[in-house]
Amino acid sequence: MGFLAGKRALIVGLATERSIAYGIAAAMRREGAELACTYQNDRLKERVAEMAQGFGAELVLPMDVAHDAEIHSAFERIGSAWGSLDIIVHSVAFAPREQLAGGYLDSVTREGFQIAHDVSSYSLAALAKAGRALMEGRNGAILTLTYLGAVRSIPSYNVMGLAKASLEANVRFLAADLGRANQDAGRGGRRRLPKDADACRGGHAAATQRDDRGSRERRRLSLLRPGLGHHG
């Protein structure tokens, strides 16, 4: 029996069998978790449904994280089907293609900046807000993915570096808020990965948790086998 037996996890951002979300989902399923998966649009629906079937996931839900109504609808369906939730995996990032070409100042625009931060960072808070009630009292965890570009200037990463830095700050504030409810918010990340990463490639989640005295301690949770690749 795996260490996630009896746990229920929502995987947001599953797109291909080479995506990081797929590797996380496979590891969680291997450890006994029951999964629900989301797809962004009809173009991805069939593909995600097929992957979800491989994980034994019966809940496959539409969710574009840029639209609050779709987020709330998905969590309502999870609440109706499960009644509770233990884990949210946020594996979502996006910036318009033109924002990732050339130098930062040459490419950045107000609209591109807003889109990158909305989809890549705010969406984590939106998922946490929508799922908080279902996770209450369950010692749950929220996992997201970051990249070296959050703390270093990476050529052509441009506005996504700022969005990832925002995401990391987002995690710190979520950890402070959710720690009071005995829930974890964590970010995982290793070195470079191509946009579509091998499913066997892994990462770690660094989570902040309050102990019984209200102080914080750092702990590391190994989700996938380390050392098999690079995480972005």
Side-chain angles (χ1 to χ4, degrees):
M1 182 177 296
F3 72 92
L4 293 179
K7 301 294 185 180
R8 288 167 167 165
L10 172 65
I11 310 295
V12 180
L14 185 62
T16 75
E17 293 182 352
R18 293 176 59 83
S19 64
I20 300 173
Y22 185 92
I24 293 173
M28 288 188 168
R29 181 58 180 166
R30 183 188 68 223
E31 295 300 327
E34 184 177 2
L35 305 182
C37 302
T38 70
Y39 59 91
Q40 181 188 8
N41 52 42
D42 288 341
R43 181 175 61 85
L44 294 173
K45 181 178 180 179
E46 185 175 345
R47 183 196 306 170
V48 173
E50 184 176 344
M51 289 186 286
Q53 185 178 18
F55 298 133
E58 296 182 358
L59 287 177
V60 182
L61 310 168
M63 182 198 290
D64 184 334
V65 297
H67 299 288
D68 288 334
E70 292 193 20
I71 293 174
H72 292 306
S73 176
F75 278 95
E76 284 182 358
R77 289 182 60 182
I78 291 170
S80 297
W82 285 352
S84 62
L85 183 64
D86 300 289
I87 302 165
I88 297 174
V89 176
H90 172 274
S91 183
V92 179
F94 175 78
R97 184 181 299 273
E98 62 272 15
Q99 297 291 302
L100 306 177
Y104 171 65
L105 282 180
D106 290 335
S107 64
V108 69
T109 64
R110 186 181 302 275
E111 181 182 11
F113 190 100
Q114 291 173 340
I115 292 172
H117 282 72
D118 181 26
V119 176
S120 308
S121 180
Y122 176 73
S123 60
L124 177 66
L127 295 180
K129 286 168 70 74
R132 179 167 50 180
L134 292 175
M135 300 178 74
E136 187 173 358
R138 299 195 56 86
N139 195 27
I142 299 172
L143 172 69
T144 191
L145 303 174
T146 189
Y147 176 58
L148 183 63
V151 295
R152 295 186 188 176
S153 176
I154 304 296
S156 296
Y157 201 55
N158 298 345
V159 73
M160 276 305 305
L162 281 69
K164 287 296 187 181
S166 170
L167 180 69
E168 293 190 4
N170 206 342
V171 168
R172 291 190 289 272
F173 279 83
L174 285 175
D177 269 8
L178 298 177
R180 303 185 187 99
N182 200 28
Q183 296 172 15
D184 289 343
R187 58 184 173 85
R190 293 174 69 188
R191 299 174 296 278
R192 283 195 176 187
L193 264 190
K195 184 175 181 182
D196 287 337
D198 286 344
C200 67
R201 297 182 179 183
H204 297 281
T208 303
Q209 185 177 30
R210 292 179 179 271
D211 62 19
D212 292 338
R213 296 180 300 280
S215 64
R216 297 179 187 174
E217 59 183 14
R218 301 288 293 182
R219 67 179 178 87
R220 297 191 68 81
L221 170 65
S222 179
L223 288 176
L224 305 176
R225 294 180 182 177
L228 296 180
H230 303 302
H231 187 296

